[in-house]
Amino acid sequence: MGSSKRYLYVLLSSTGTKFAKMIRLVGRQTYNHAAVSLDGDLKHLYAFARPQQDAIFLGHLVRESLERYTLRQSDPVPVVILRIPISQEGYDWVTRRITQMVDNTEYMYNLLSVLSYPVTGGITVDKTYTCVEFATHLLQYCGYLREMRCCYYTPDDLVRELSEYVIYRGDIRDCLPDVWVDYQYFSPPTLMLFLENMQSLLRLIRRTVKL
């Protein structure tokens, strides 16, 4: 990054999937998705999301690409980028946390928190996160945001509460490099994927009912 300063970058986006549109409509939000990066060019961007577009119940921490946001379409994808100053200790901790979780299916997407949000305001489940819960989890460790449950925050909350750290507003194509082709996300559905989806849903329900 060219200096001794360390930053956590948070990208909030308004994506074009049907599920994303439903989240924004029901939650009355401008943005529906949150991702994080430790490099200023956002070449390594991480979020709790689906590994494949048809993996409805199979979310975990994944590395995201420009293609995931645009869906290989030409429509604009509005985003906001926050650049949050963090200590070296915070930087090292976030690095370890991402390394520990990325592509580790033990950590799951908290789908039931999203679906129940209009009624419950979100629910906390062991070793599960939504995209914004994970971003909030990192930000709270680094000394930002109020110490309330991560599930209570929305992407719009992050924009409002951390507005002084906004460095970009606009279309994602003007800020996110198209550096790799995301073959996995766009791969066709298979019987194995369906079975993995069902297994993941059952695991999530079992964790949730233990609350």
Side-chain angles (χ1 to χ4, degrees), residues 31 62 81-82 99 116-117 121 123 146 160 162 171 177 184 199:
Y31 303 98
V62 299
I81 299 176
L82 310 174
T99 302
S116 67
Y117 185 84
I123 57 176
R146 291 166 291 156
R160 283 191 295 269
L162 300 170
D171 184 21
Q184 181 185 18
Q199 291 173 353

Side-chain angles (χ1 to χ4, degrees), residues 17 20 29 38 41 61 63 109 132 138 149 167 194 202:
T17 65
Q29 300 291 309
L38 287 167
D41 54 13
L61 187 64
R63 183 183 172 195
Y109 183 79
V132 69
L138 302 183
R149 289 187 178 185
I167 61 170
F194 172 78
L202 290 174

